[in-house]
């Protein structure tokens, strides 16, 4: 196992906005394709509110829930409000926090902001999200990058102003991906401009996407390197990180023919990388793509440690 990466020096005392605790501990990820009937297809949703009891039994402390999607299938700024309320109510009964997240399209900044504000301000029947996070992805062309960066910084600034002293999460590409694996992907990502706007950073260290001969094709190296680079880019050795691994976690060889899934055997190294880099939480994307062995393994590994931050 590689040694823990060296941290950048930062003498400043940490100050955190209200709500960062929602990002601590073991998380579970659910996207609209898993829970929303409009996206699930004939087979129906893979995840329902009934599954929250299993999450709680496995020690999940936070549900990361895609509450909105901007496309022709979705309806409203919040998808399927009655079902969202049911998820929130059941989660809160089980002492599970819920962070709502959304993937901006970067086409109409007002649409993107409206949906994130809708998550932040959502309240129906006394049920609210415990946090909001922005899924910062995309494949900008060289011609688009300056405009995408401007829209990203503007969106983040406006959302930060709307939230006031409430915590905001940034679900980001692992810096290792855009600085080592594919330097043409997004080489001028505006880390410095985003640094003061977000409170918790959630790098998507999906090692199953890396080729077998890559030094980052394991549960430890990809996340450890991404976290070190992330903090260096932010200029903050104490930046709060919730590590996301995967994708999925299965016992044995994945024969699904879809996205390449991680193995349950990789999970111990992944969790160790989060411990060694002082992450405040850890999770696998996503709940539906983990089999029972993957879920139980994460539960056993995470419940045996106390995360810092």
């Amino acid at each position: 196992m590689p040694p823990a990466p060296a941290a950048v020096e930062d003498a400043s005392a940490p100050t955190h906005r209200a709500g960062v605790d929602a990002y601590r501990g073991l998380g579970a990820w659910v996207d609209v394709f898993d829970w929303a009937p409009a996206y699930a297809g004939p087979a129906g949703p893979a995840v329902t509110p009934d599954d929250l009891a299993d999450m709680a039994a496995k020690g999940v402390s936070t549900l990361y829930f895609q509450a909105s999607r901007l496309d022709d299938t979705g309806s409203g700024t919040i998808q399927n409000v009655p079902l969202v309320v049911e998820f929130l109510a059941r989660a809160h009964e089980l002492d599970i926090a819920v962070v709502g997240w959304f993937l901006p399209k970067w086409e109409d900044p007002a649409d993107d902001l409206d949906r994130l504000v809708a998550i932040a301000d959502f309240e129906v029947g006394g049920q609210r999200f415990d946090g909001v996070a922005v899924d910062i992805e995309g494949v900008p062309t060289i011609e688009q990058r300056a405009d995408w960066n401007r829209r990203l910084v503007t969106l983040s600034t406006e959302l930060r102003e709307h939230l006031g002293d409430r915590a905001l999460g940034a679900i980001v590409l692992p810096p290792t991906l855009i600085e080592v694996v594919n330097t043409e992907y997004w080489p001028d990502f505006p880390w410095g401009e985003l640094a003061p706007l977000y409170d918790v950073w959630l790098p998507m260290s999906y090692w199953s996407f890396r080729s077998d001969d890559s030094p980052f094709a394991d549960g430890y190296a990809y996340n450890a390197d991404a976290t070190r680079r992330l903090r260096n880019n932010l200029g903050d050795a104490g930046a709060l990180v919730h590590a996301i691994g995967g994708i999925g976690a299965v016992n044995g060889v994945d024969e699904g023919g879809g996205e390449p899934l991680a193995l349950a055997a990789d999970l111990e190294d992944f969790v160790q990388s989060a411990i060694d880099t002082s992450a405040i939480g850890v999770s696998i994307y996503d709940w539906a793509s983990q089999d029972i062995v993957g879920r139980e393994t994460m539960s056993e590994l995470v419940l045996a440690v106390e995360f810092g931050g």
Side-chain angles (χ1 to χ4, degrees), residues 114-133:
D114 285 349
R115 287 167 186 268
L116 287 161
V117 167
I119 295 171
D121 294 352
F122 185 87
E123 183 168 6
V124 176
Q127 296 299 323
R128 296 176 57 92
F129 289 97
D130 302 285
V132 57

Side-chain angles (χ1 to χ4, degrees), residues 71-92:
D71 59 21
D72 293 336
T73 301
S75 59
T77 52
I78 300 293
Q79 176 68 29
N80 199 327
V81 169
L83 189 51
V84 168
V85 173
E86 186 176 351
F87 268 99
L88 287 169
R90 192 77 61 87
H92 291 151

Side-chain angles (χ1 to χ4, degrees), residues 7-8 10 12 14 16 199 231 235-241 278 309:
V8 294
D10 182 4
S12 61
H16 304 315
D199 302 278
R231 288 177 172 145
D236 181 2
L240 301 183
V241 172
S278 300

